């Protein structure tokens, strides 16, 4: 989740961006297959967490369910090493972003440690579930918002959920090679105004690349006044994490004043000779299980016990890990977020994560003609898939 990484430089870290240009060539069926499978696995894990989101459920248990579902699925593929230039290589796979469940005024990144104060879901809570899967470094990430124990939601909760939903759906239909990045911001402004809510500052639509969860293209949905905006056009082979978060709060600002950090990511271009044995053990474990993608500190503590906590301070002092702080609005406000992964291919947009939205009823509607028209446009999806379906249908009819 882009919005929360505290170091903006991490997006353009030299070594993270390197790699052969065809590593993200979406016309390569092998790469496309990895993305689609990662997307299916992310959607599967999301469903497991949603099914368990009931009044009385503990957030810690929900995060464990999501992570376990990801591992269960990724364990079934790439079980044998692959040959690259005559050498055997193990294919890296697993959690691309640890399962987080963030409630009400909490924006995201909450994947509690065992020692954290217990958070239990209540009826009516606005819960945001975020998780990601990677196969061979190809990442599929998803965020879904639901209201606990409700079949239909109204009022301010409905407004904020619908704003996030409509922004994502309109953007999905807008994006194609040649679309200007500034057009996304225009949609967000108009949708926020229509529903009387505020886009969250610091949240962004960003590109991803192999093993890089925040690549170099970046569209803030509510730019800070001093923020310099990159102007660019959408290109074929771009892979986007489309993320839209809105709050019922007026300012759109979230803070990390609670000081809780449960997720980190290795700063790949930083090295340092650590003094403490515990610190070295911690870094070795991180390099082994999650050398470039975000991980929950809980997963490391599960393996290393007290050593993990003991080594953390020195590792952070020397900026070997980038923290993803838990950001919050004021208590009493509600934040809703939807995020999906979509691929810009020669045949149109391919959305690989996400599910149907919760049922919300609002008295407010979007009046802007351009956005209404966009929302009524069917998404142009990959042709090859439709061809296959047609030929399958024909052979079935024979």
């Amino acid at each position: 989740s882009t919005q929360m990484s505290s170091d903006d430089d991490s997006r353009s870290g030299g070594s993270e961006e390197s790699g052969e240009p065809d590593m993200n060539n979406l016309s390569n069926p092998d790469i496309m297959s990895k993305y689609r499978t990662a997307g299916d696995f992310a959607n599967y894990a999301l469903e497991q967490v949603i099914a368990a989101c009931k009044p009385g459920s503990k957030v810690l248990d929900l995060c464990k369910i999501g992570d376990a579902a990801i591992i269960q699925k990724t364990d079934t593929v790439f079980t044998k090493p692959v040959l690259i230039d005559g050498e055997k290589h193990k294919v890296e796979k697993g959690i691309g972003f640890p399962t987080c469940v963030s409630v009400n005024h909490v924006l995201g990144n909450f994947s509690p440690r065992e020692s954290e104060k217990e958070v239990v879901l209540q009826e009516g809570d606005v819960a945001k579930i975020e998780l990601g899967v990677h196969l061979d470094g190809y990442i599929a990430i998803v965020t879904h918002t639901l209201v606990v124990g409700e079949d239909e939601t109204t009022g301010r909760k409905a407004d904020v959920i619908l704003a996030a939903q409509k922004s994502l759906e309109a953007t999905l239909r807008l994006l194609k090679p040649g679309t200007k990045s500034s057009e996304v911001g225009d949609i967000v402004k108009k949708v926020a105004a229509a529903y009387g809510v505020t886009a969250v500052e610091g949240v962004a639509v960003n590109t991803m690349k192999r093993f890089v969860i925040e690549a170099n293209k970046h569209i803030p949905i509510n730019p800070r006044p001093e923020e310099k905006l990159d102007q660019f056009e959408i290109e074929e082979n771009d892979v986007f994490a489309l993320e839209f978060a809105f709050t019922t709060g007026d300012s759109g600002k979230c803070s990390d004043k609670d000081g809780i950090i449960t997720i980190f990511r290795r700063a790949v271009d930083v090295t340092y000779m650590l003094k403490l044995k515990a610190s070295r053990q911690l870094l070795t474990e991180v390099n082994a299980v999650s050398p470039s993608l975000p991980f929950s500190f809980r997963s490391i503590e599960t393996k290393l016990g007290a050593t993990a906590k003991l080594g953390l301070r020195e590792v952070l002092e020397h900026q070997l890990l980038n923290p993803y702080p838990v950001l919050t609005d004021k208590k009493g406000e509600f934040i809703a977020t939807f995020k999906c992964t979509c691929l810009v291919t020669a045949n149109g947009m391919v959305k690989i994560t996400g599910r149907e939205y919760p049922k919300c009823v609002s008295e407010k509607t979007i009046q802007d003609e351009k956005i209404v028209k966009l929302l009524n446009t069917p998404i142009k999806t990959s042709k090859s898939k439709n061809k296959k379906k047609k030929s399958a249908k024909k052979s079935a009819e024979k």
Side-chain angles (χ1 to χ4, degrees), residues 270-283:
V270 182
T271 50
Y272 181 80
M273 290 301 289
L274 293 160
K275 310 276 185 291
L276 288 174
K277 188 183 173 189
S279 312
R280 293 196 298 272
Q281 281 178 286
L282 169 60
L283 201 62

Side-chain angles (χ1 to χ4, degrees), residues 194-246:
Y195 286 103
V197 293
T198 317
V200 177
E201 242 183 45
V203 174
V205 164
N206 67 274
T207 49
M208 300 190 290
K209 289 186 177 174
R210 187 171 181 236
F211 287 115
V212 183
I213 201 155
E214 295 168 36
N216 45 2
K217 293 183 180 176
H218 189 69
I219 311 171
I221 63 166
N222 182 2
R224 299 180 179 94
E226 73 284 358
E227 207 164 343
K228 190 173 111 336
L229 296 184
D230 303 332
Q231 299 296 334
F232 57 86
E233 288 190 355
I234 309 305
E235 295 171 291
E236 195 182 314
N237 291 327
D238 279 342
V239 174
F240 278 100
L242 293 186
E243 177 167 37
F244 295 91
F246 289 79

Side-chain angles (χ1 to χ4, degrees), residues 80-81 145 174 200 242 292 349 355:
K80 295 187 173 77
T145 297
L174 174 83
V200 177
L242 293 186
S292 58
M349 295 298 290
R355 73 185 304 275

Side-chain angles (χ1 to χ4, degrees), residues 329-365:
D329 201 340
K330 295 191 293 290
K331 263 205 165 86
E333 302 297 355
F334 298 105
I335 298 175
T337 308
F338 290 104
K339 172 156 54 175
C340 73
T341 302
C342 69
L343 320 175
V344 186
T345 76
N347 299 321
M349 295 298 290
V350 179
K351 178 177 178 238
I352 58 168
T353 61
R355 73 185 304 275
E356 58 187 282
Y357 297 97
K359 195 164 183 222
C360 289
V361 178
S362 170
E363 289 156 18
K364 302 180 174 77
T365 54

